């Protein structure tokens, strides 16, 4: 099975955070640049045989799916488990400076099931990512699927793919160093693999953060 994943286009929140200014009321919408990125992504994916787009409930992901679909013209579904990693109430209250409120400040050394108020735990995030992957596995061979999701979500999938059952909070800081651009393309495949006499079968990473269309 092949899964194409993309991060949403640039949002108004991304634009404001880069400029270190307060986020506007419609912060979850795509910026003008984000719409351009989404449409360019649709043109880039036109030859990949995508048959279905599944997007997060978040507005920036939904609008990215719409921009992509101006070219692809395929069904769009929504999956709430593709939602970005849920940060704490303190995090959202501290925008745009954040301070030490982000999940990466406490999650790597906290118990797996711990979460600050309003946030979700490491285990809760892993469970969401695994639910999506299991639902996609159930559709294997039926449709070629594109998932539209978020930076944190994709990094949790990367961790589960690379470290499998050993994936833990201690890996997060290193994983976050693997950047991912708005509308970057990543490809994960589940297949049989053998190298040097060893079995590497199962889910693996084929492409990370392809930005050739940007």
């Amino acid at each position: 099975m092949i899964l194409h994943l993309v991060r949403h286009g640039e949002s108004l929140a991304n634009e404001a955070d880069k400029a270190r200014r307060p986020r506007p009321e419609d912060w979850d919408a795509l910026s003008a640049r984000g719409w351009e990125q989404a449409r360019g992504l649709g043109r880039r994916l036109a030859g990949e045989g995508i048959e279905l787009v599944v997007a997060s409930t978040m507005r920036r992901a939904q609008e990215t799916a719409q921009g992509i679909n101006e070219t692809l013209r395929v069904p769009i579904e929504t999956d709430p488990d593709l939602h970005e990693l849920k940060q704490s109430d303190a995090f959202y209250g501290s925008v745009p400076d954040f301070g030490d409120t982000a999940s990466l400040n406490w999650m790597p050394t906290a118990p797996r099931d711990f979460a600050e108020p309003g946030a979700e735990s490491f285990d809760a995030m892993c469970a969401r990512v695994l639910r999506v992957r299991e639902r996609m596995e159930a559709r294997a061979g039926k449709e070629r699927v594109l998932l539209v999701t978020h930076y944190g979500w994709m990094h949790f999938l990367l961790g589960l793919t690379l470290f499998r059952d050993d994936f833990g909070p201690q890996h997060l800081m290193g994983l976050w160093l693997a950047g991912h651009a708005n509308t970057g393309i990543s490809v994960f495949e589940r297949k049989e693999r053998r190298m040097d006499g060893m079995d590497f079968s199962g889910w693996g990473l084929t492409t990370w953060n392809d930005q050739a269309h940007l």
Side-chain angles (χ1 to χ4, degrees):
M1 182 181 187
I2 299 175
L3 272 182
H4 288 75
L5 293 97
V6 297
R7 184 185 175 200
H8 60 82
E10 181 188 74
S11 67
L12 292 174
N14 294 150
E15 187 178 59
D17 291 350
K18 289 173 188 174
R20 296 189 65 78
R21 64 173 186 264
R23 293 180 177 184
E25 287 189 11
D26 56 348
W27 60 269
D28 199 27
L30 290 185
S31 66
R33 182 167 181 256
W35 277 105
E36 291 175 6
Q37 291 172 334
R39 292 175 177 127
L41 183 56
R43 294 189 291 271
R44 168 73 189 282
L45 292 169
E48 296 298 327
I50 302 297
E51 300 168 277
L52 173 70
V53 176
V54 183
S56 150
T57 55
M58 303 188 82
R59 181 175 174 182
R60 58 192 184 271
Q62 290 285 317
E63 291 184 350
T64 300
Q66 293 165 23
I68 291 168
N69 217 30
E70 289 180 15
T71 298
L72 297 189
R73 308 284 184 182
V74 298
I76 296 177
E77 295 182 5
T78 298
D79 190 329
D81 281 333
L82 286 170
H83 194 286
E84 178 59 295
L85 173 66
K86 295 173 184 175
Q87 299 273 1
S88 67
D89 297 334
F91 175 87
Y92 294 109
S94 67
V95 174
D97 295 319
F98 303 112
D100 60 358
T101 61
S103 293
L104 285 189
N105 279 287
W106 53 265
M107 189 177 281
T109 57
R112 297 174 62 106
D113 59 354
F114 172 82
E116 294 284 350
E120 65 187 323
S121 68
F122 177 87
D123 277 348
M125 184 62 175
C126 286
R128 284 205 286 118
V129 174
L130 288 172
R131 285 196 297 268
V132 173
R133 197 171 72 176
E134 288 166 2
R135 284 196 285 272
M136 294 303 104
E137 288 174 340
R139 304 175 86 146
K142 299 174 185 176
E143 296 143 316
R144 196 158 190 173
V145 182
L146 172 70
L147 302 181
V148 184
T149 185
H150 305 268
Y151 190 99
W153 198 99
M154 296 185 71
H155 282 74
F156 268 76
L157 177 61
L158 180 64
L160 287 163
T161 301
L162 297 181
F163 298 107
R164 303 193 178 186
D165 291 342
D166 292 328
F167 181 42
Q170 71 275 12
H171 296 119
L172 291 177
M173 294 300 289
L175 286 175
W176 249 248
L177 294 174
H180 210 283
N182 292 116
T183 68
I185 302 168
S186 290
V187 180
F188 291 78
E189 291 186 75
R190 188 187 66 179
K191 63 182 182 181
E192 292 184 4
R193 292 180 176 86
R194 290 195 67 82
M195 291 181 64
D196 300 330
M198 300 176 66
D199 187 6
F200 292 91
S201 297
W203 284 101
L205 175 66
T206 299
T207 302
W208 181 256
N209 195 24
D210 180 346
Q211 303 176 56
H213 53 290
L214 294 176

